Amino acid sequence: MKRSILILCILLFFLIAGIIICCNKRIEETARNKTYNNTEEIPYCKTALLLGTSPKLKNGRDNQYFTNRIQAAAQLYKAGRIKYIIVSGDNRKQDYNEPEEMRQALIGQSVPDSIIYLDYAGFRTLDSVVRTKEIFGQDSITIISQQFHNERAIFLAEEYAIHAIGFNARNVPKYQGIKTEIREYLARVKVFIDMALNKQPHFLGEKIKIE
């Protein structure tokens, strides 16, 4: 009996590991040659989608994912590779506002407020990507986040008929980002579950025109 349970657990482990590996490989292949690390090589695109995150960690320290994404967005704009920035993040709680925090940080990097558009319903990457097309009317975007996040967002964009490339913000040191990397593997599996269930954004709403 114990041996049968052990064998079953081993088989289950390899099954889960195989699913994770396959999902990860599929997303990496879709995003191959579609992410860029410098402004000299990345093609021009009118609109960028800056994916949100909190400016602070739970321990109160600065969130380097946030800081690096802001710097990347400012760098891309100043290089003339984008004209507008959609800042998409979570604002489901009254005292938690990712888009506004990122807007203020961008302004602090000398990015004009007039070119920043806020998406308050970017509760997850799928919502942010789909709303870029359905609410803001963009079917071609440059996504700004860390490379692992950009790859998943590009995969989602293609699933929803959006042409997307990614500009990679600097990642954080391995020892700081290990939990995020583990969550990313699980998030990539969830992408395929969402596709199978035809998941849609939590909210859509009135369209916003980008001038």
Side-chain angles (χ1 to χ4, degrees):
M1 182 66 177
K2 289 183 179 180
R3 185 178 179 183
S4 298
I5 294 174
L6 178 61
I7 293 173
L8 182 62
C9 289
I10 292 172
L11 291 174
L12 185 60
F13 170 81
F14 281 106
L15 175 62
I16 293 172
I19 291 172
I20 292 173
I21 291 169
C22 288
C23 292
N24 184 67
K25 186 175 180 181
R26 174 79 182 280
I27 287 175
E28 285 185 345
E29 287 177 349
T30 299
R32 184 170 289 127
N33 299 323
K34 294 176 184 175
T35 66
Y36 299 83
N37 294 309
N38 61 71
T39 56
E40 289 76 20
E41 295 179 358
I42 191 168
Y44 172 83
C45 184
K46 183 181 77 170
T47 306
L49 170 63
L50 175 57
L51 295 173
T53 187
S54 172
K56 297 290 184 181
L57 300 173
K58 290 182 179 180
N59 60 16
R61 295 179 181 176
D62 291 341
N63 182 357
Q64 288 302 308
Y65 288 110
F66 177 97
T67 302
N68 294 346
R69 290 181 200 181
I70 294 298
Q71 291 175 350
Q75 180 185 0
L76 201 60
Y77 172 76
K78 292 173 183 177
R81 297 302 190 181
I82 55 173
K83 189 175 182 181
Y84 302 105
I85 303 174
I86 299 171
V87 179
S88 183
D90 192 343
N91 182 36
R92 72 183 76 196
K93 298 179 182 178
Q94 190 172 2
D95 60 346
Y96 186 79
N97 193 332
E98 289 179 355
E100 181 59 30
E101 293 280 3
M102 299 191 93
R103 182 180 78 89
Q104 293 294 339
L106 286 170
I107 293 171
Q109 292 286 324
S110 301
V111 176
D113 191 20
S114 60
I115 67 103
I116 302 171
Y117 290 78
L118 302 185
D119 175 17
Y120 294 108
F123 302 133
R124 54 183 181 161
T125 306
L126 184 148
D127 296 58
S128 297
V129 169
V130 175
R131 284 175 56 83
T132 298
K133 181 177 182 179
E134 298 299 328
I135 301 300
F136 295 92
Q138 306 302 299
D139 55 15
S140 182
I141 55 174
T142 294
I143 301 169
I144 303 171
S145 188
Q146 279 68 32
Q147 182 171 350
F148 67 84
H149 198 187
N150 281 339
E151 289 174 348
R152 175 158 52 92
I154 288 170
F155 180 86
L156 284 165
E158 294 210 354
E159 289 294 317
Y160 287 88
I162 302 168
H163 176 264
I165 57 176
F167 186 59
N168 299 327
R170 290 196 313 275
N171 210 340
V172 304
K174 278 282 186 182
Y175 70 92
Q176 292 182 9
I178 186 67
K179 290 182 179 179
T180 300
E181 290 189 14
I182 292 172
R183 285 198 300 268
E184 178 61 23
Y185 283 113
L186 299 178
R188 292 186 175 198
V189 174
K190 191 173 186 304
V191 163
F192 291 90
I193 296 174
D194 288 342
M195 295 299 102
L197 297 175
N198 193 29
K199 282 281 187 177
Q200 298 298 318
H202 287 81
F203 300 107
L204 287 175
E206 295 183 7
K207 295 184 181 298
I208 299 172
K209 185 177 181 181
I210 294 181
E211 299 298 338

